[in-house]
Structure formats: structure tokens, C-alpha cells
Amino acid sequence: MNYLPNGLPVPVPESDGLDAPYWEGTRRGELLVQQCRHCRAFQWGPEWICHKCLSFDLGWPRDAGRGHLSHWARPWHPVHPALKGHGPYIAVLVELPDAGKVRMLGNLLGDPRQEVVIGAAVEAVFEPHDEAKPPFTLVQWRRVDG
């Protein structure tokens, strides 16, 4: 079961292929984050050059897919026609401690009226949209109890 309805536009990798490894990883159920092989700094979003040391030697290691809520919002209006009638939802910014504390956007799964606590532990959930042409997988987030 998908959190988001079918009919959303496909998030196509940039024509330069820079974010292609990320999208390929999501299809395998892996969260990949760009990391400099020279200074070991992580960064998000993807770039051709390291933000810290300016090296061009960048890789895509797998992250554990666990983080903490840094910020959140509860939009009530649809941001795309396919989302009409699907509000509210909870958009979150998740900090990844195993990836240099970079932050990624996503949706928090569950009741859209749930209490949201900054600092709450979350884990990545991979939401495939196999019916799309081409197929893609989104990363969503769910709270980890305990």
C-alpha cells in the first residue's frame, strides 16, 4: 500500500545523471547518501564537487536509513492535482546521524493528525511506484517506537 496515490509525476533524475545513483538505490530498497572519498564528508543534495574540500572524488555509500525529525509541517492543501483530497499530510526534514547529520525531506507515515515531536526517531520506508513509466521508488519515513 502506498502513502501517496498513483498518478504523481515521475521524479526523473537530472539529465546529467548526478542523482541517478540515489534513485537506483531506492529501487533496491537502499538509502544512498553522497560522500567525499577524500575528506569523508557527507552532503545532500548531490553535487559534482565536495562542499567541504572541493574534491571531485565522490561516492554513494549506503546509509542505515535511520534518523531523527529535525523539522516538520502539516500541509492541508494539495501541491499537485494527484493529491487532491489527500490532505493533510506531514512533511518532515530528517537528520541522518550516520551520514554526517545531512538532512533529507520526506513524508511521515501514519495518521496525518498525529502528534509530531522534534527529535523523534524515524526509519526509511521505500514506497515503490511500479505502475509509473519508468518505475520509481520514494523514500518515506515512519516513527520508531522506543
Side-chain angles (χ1 to χ4, degrees):
M1 182 168 106
N2 287 342
Y3 182 71
L4 295 177
N6 294 335
L8 292 175
V10 176
V12 179
E14 291 291 327
S15 60
D16 59 15
L18 182 59
D19 59 354
Y22 169 80
W23 292 109
E24 291 164 2
T26 65
R27 291 299 290 164
R28 297 187 305 269
E30 298 176 346
L31 182 62
L32 306 182
V33 181
Q34 197 175 47
Q35 183 182 31
C36 178
R37 292 184 182 110
H38 179 72
C39 74
R40 310 302 294 161
F42 287 92
Q43 59 190 31
W44 187 259
E47 295 287 347
W48 290 111
I49 191 169
C50 174
H51 296 172
K52 185 174 179 184
C53 75
L54 306 181
S55 171
F56 288 97
D57 190 13
L58 301 167
W60 287 89
R62 183 177 179 180
D63 183 74
R66 291 184 171 263
H68 297 91
L69 295 182
S70 171
H71 295 79
W72 67 279
R74 192 183 329 258
W76 289 78
H77 62 283
V79 295
H80 185 275
L83 294 175
K84 187 175 182 177
H86 290 279
Y89 58 95
I90 301 172
V92 294
L93 190 59
V94 175
E95 186 173 279
L96 302 173
D98 294 340
K101 297 186 178 180
V102 297
R103 295 175 178 175
M104 288 187 171
L105 286 170
N107 295 305
L108 184 63
L109 301 179
D111 184 346
R113 291 176 177 85
Q114 67 184 291
E115 179 183 1
V116 182
V117 177
I118 297 297
V122 293
E123 64 184 359
V125 175
F126 298 91
E127 180 182 286
H129 288 264
D130 296 332
E131 77 292 344
K133 303 291 183 231
F136 66 94
T137 299
L138 296 175
V139 176
Q140 308 288 17
W141 300 92
R142 75 171 155 227
R143 288 177 32 181
V144 178
D145 296 326

